[in-house]
């Protein structure tokens, strides 16, 4: 009589079949291949979207709308803090009505979108997606706005004049709209020139050192030592090497874009599978085709990542560059207002800078989505 131990019994996980399963006659047969999970997951996701469409949380949306109405009421009727100076009180009184109207307009837009989302059709579905995605931001932004107004204009919990209420900032944006528009135009022109030159130099350098080993041997160590040097450290050298402050500012912006784009582009070129080049060479492709039609498209996701990093770094370099010899621009405006102690003006310039940076990043994301639409089913976005 033979005893069977646990070691003699083939162990498989529940719900899984082994590749070879012994039958009753002692002969092994091949088990059926496990079906791919990706196709089934896509089918289930599509069916789930049909059977469970996007739903709007009514409590969250209603809370956001009522919070914006409450913000407008606080701005319009709440008393001012006695610790505020007369100048701050004057600025607050000048724009309180405008800020309150802005709060009511946001609440009205949210209510109208909510009403449209209840209607059938493509417009209702689009409004539902927008509202369900932004309902939390609607409420969160309102709570922040209420705290901002209550902690500055109403109670002075945040110490003036370093912290400013929304009304003085809105007043300064309106009063300085002319000089802000001119400064914004000059900054965008300077940023565009420096960013485009940095992108061209970064992509070119990244492709060269990623493709040719000799160039990588000589350039990559220099890149590792000079690239991380802060932008501000180049200012003394710029005054010596460049004849004008404008050309020096362009160099600073281009340099801040060049380094991250070069590093990421090189990494994208190196990470392309060798099989792509083998297949192309088997079909008769030459080096120019391999660089332009295989390497660059394969490294395009990495190039866009470097462009995002370079755009953020270029804004830092822009504010630094416009403080040295440039007579206009958002960085010059911020430095000018800071010199006069005009904190509402400083915050107004920061608001414009934040809005412009957000818009440019959004446009770059849309360009990335359009250019890499072929990759959307392959990666998680």
């Amino acid at each position: 009589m033979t005893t069977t131990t646990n070691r003699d019994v083939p162990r498989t996980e529940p719900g899984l079949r082994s590749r070879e399963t012994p039958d009753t006659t002692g002969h092994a047969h091949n088990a059926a291949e496990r079906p791919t999970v990706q196709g089934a997951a896509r089918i289930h996701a599509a069916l789930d979207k049909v059977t469970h469409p996007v739903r709007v949380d009514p409590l969250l949306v209603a809370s956001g709308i009522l919070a914006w109405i409450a913000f407008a009421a606080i701005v319009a009727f709440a008393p001012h803090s006695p610790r505020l100076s007369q100048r701050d009180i004057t600025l607050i009184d000048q724009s309180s009505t405008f800020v309150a109207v802005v709060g009511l307009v946001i609440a009205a837009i949210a209510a109208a979108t909510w009403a449209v989302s209840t209607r059938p059709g493509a417009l209702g579905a689009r409004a539902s997606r927008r509202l369900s995605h932004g309902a939390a931001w609607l409420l969160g932004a309102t709570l922040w706005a209420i705290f901002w107004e209550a902690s500055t204009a109403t109670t002075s919990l945040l110490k003036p004049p370093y912290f400013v209420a929304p009304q003085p900032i809105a007043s300064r944006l309106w009063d300085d709209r002319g000089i802000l528009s001119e400064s914004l135009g000059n900054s965008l022109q300077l940023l565009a020139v420096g960013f485009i030159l940095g992108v061209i130099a970064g992509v070119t350098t990244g492709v060269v050192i990623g493709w040719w080993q000799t160039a990588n041997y000589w350039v990559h160590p220099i890149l590792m030592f000079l690239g991380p040097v802060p932008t501000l450290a180049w200012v003394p050298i710029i005054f010596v090497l460049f004849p004008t402050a404008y050309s020096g500012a362009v160099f600073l912006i281009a340099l801040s874009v060049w380094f991250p784009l070069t590093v990421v582009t090189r990494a994208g070129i190196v990470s392309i599978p060798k099989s792509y080049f083998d297949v192309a060479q088997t079909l008769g492709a030459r080096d120019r085709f391999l660089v332009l039609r295989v390497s660059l498209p394969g490294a395009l996701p990495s190039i866009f990542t470097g462009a995002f990093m370079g755009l953020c770094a270029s804004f830092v370099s822009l504010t630094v560059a416009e403080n040295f010899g440039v007579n206009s621009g958002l960085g010059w405006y911020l430095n000018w207002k800071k010199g006069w102690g005009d904190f509402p003006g400083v915050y107004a310039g920061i608001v414009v800078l934040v809005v412009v940076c957000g818009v440019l990043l959004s446009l770059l994301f849309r360009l990335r989505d359009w250019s890499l639409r072929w990759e959307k089913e392959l990666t998680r976005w």
Side-chain angles (χ1 to χ4, degrees):
M1 182 175 179
T2 60
T3 59
T4 303
T5 62
N6 291 335
R7 291 182 180 178
D8 300 328
V9 180
R11 301 178 62 183
T12 58
E13 297 181 5
L16 297 179
R17 299 177 61 184
S18 62
R19 186 57 59 93
E20 294 185 358
T21 306
D23 54 11
T24 55
T25 61
H27 299 287
H29 62 84
N30 292 329
E33 294 289 339
R34 190 189 311 174
T36 59
V37 182
Q38 187 177 9
R42 290 182 179 179
I43 295 175
H44 285 298
L47 293 176
D48 186 68
K49 288 183 179 180
V50 175
T51 57
H52 300 86
V54 177
R55 300 183 183 275
V56 178
D57 188 351
L59 180 61
L60 191 61
V61 176
S63 300
I65 294 173
L66 293 176
W68 276 111
I69 296 175
F71 169 74
I74 293 174
V75 170
F77 302 110
H80 303 318
S81 171
R83 297 174 57 186
L84 295 176
S85 63
Q86 186 61 38
R87 186 190 68 170
D88 293 336
I89 294 176
T90 302
L91 292 175
I92 290 174
D93 291 336
Q94 287 177 354
S95 55
S96 291
T97 303
F98 172 76
V99 175
V101 169
V102 169
L104 293 176
V105 168
I106 295 176
I109 292 175
T113 306
W114 192 9
V116 173
S117 65
T118 60
R119 302 182 61 182
L123 184 61
R126 185 176 181 181
S128 298
R129 289 193 299 268
R130 293 281 185 179
L131 200 59
S132 61
H133 179 71
W137 274 102
L138 179 69
L139 179 60
T142 320
L143 296 178
W144 166 250
I146 291 175
F147 169 77
W148 184 10
E149 175 68 19
S151 61
T152 52
T154 305
T155 62
S156 293
L157 180 64
L158 299 178
K159 185 178 179 181
Y162 306 106
F163 296 95
V164 184
Q167 295 94 320
I169 298 176
S171 179
R172 189 63 71 226
L173 285 171
W174 176 256
D175 293 339
D176 293 348
R177 61 188 182 278
I179 191 171
L180 277 173
S181 301
E182 181 182 357
S183 299
L184 176 60
N186 294 328
S187 292
L188 288 178
Q189 180 182 2
L190 179 62
L191 182 69
V193 175
F195 182 77
I196 292 174
L197 292 178
V199 167
I200 295 173
V203 172
T204 303
T205 309
V207 170
V208 168
I209 66 177
W211 181 259
W212 285 282
Q213 292 296 326
T214 303
N216 181 69
Y217 176 80
W218 291 104
V219 178
H220 191 252
I222 301 175
L223 181 71
M224 292 296 99
F225 280 99
L226 296 182
V229 175
T231 304
L232 193 61
W234 292 97
V235 172
I237 301 176
I238 288 173
F239 281 126
V240 177
L241 296 179
F242 292 89
T244 62
Y246 186 85
S247 59
V250 170
F251 172 77
L252 278 180
I253 297 173
L255 181 65
S256 64
V257 178
W258 167 78
F259 172 65
L261 198 58
T262 299
V263 173
V264 178
T265 301
R266 175 189 174 274
I269 296 291
V270 173
S271 63
I272 297 176
K274 187 176 180 296
S275 58
Y276 293 179
F277 302 103
D278 295 338
V279 171
Q281 287 176 330
T282 303
L283 297 176
R286 298 181 181 273
D287 288 346
R288 182 177 180 182
F289 184 91
L290 294 177
V291 172
L292 298 180
R293 304 299 296 273
V294 179
S295 297
L296 276 178
L300 203 57
S302 300
I303 292 174
F304 273 105
T305 302
F308 294 138
M309 299 166 60
L311 183 59
C312 297
S314 65
F315 274 95
V316 178
S317 300
L318 177 69
T319 56
V320 172
E322 289 181 340
N323 288 328
F324 300 97
V326 179
N327 295 324
S328 183
L330 292 177
W332 168 85
Y333 178 85
L334 291 173
N335 192 45
W336 175 49
K337 290 295 182 180
K338 182 184 67 174
W340 286 97
D342 187 1
F343 290 98
V346 173
Y347 284 111
I350 293 175
V351 167
V352 175
L353 194 62
V354 167
V355 170
V356 172
C357 184
V359 170
L360 293 180
L361 280 176
S362 299
L363 293 177
L364 193 57
F365 270 110
R366 289 185 178 273
L367 179 61
R368 191 279 308 266
D369 295 344
W370 180 82
S371 301
L372 301 181
R373 57 191 182 277
W374 54 270
E375 197 193 32
K376 214 164 190 179
E377 297 297 330
L378 303 176
T379 57
R380 293 182 61 188
W381 282 27

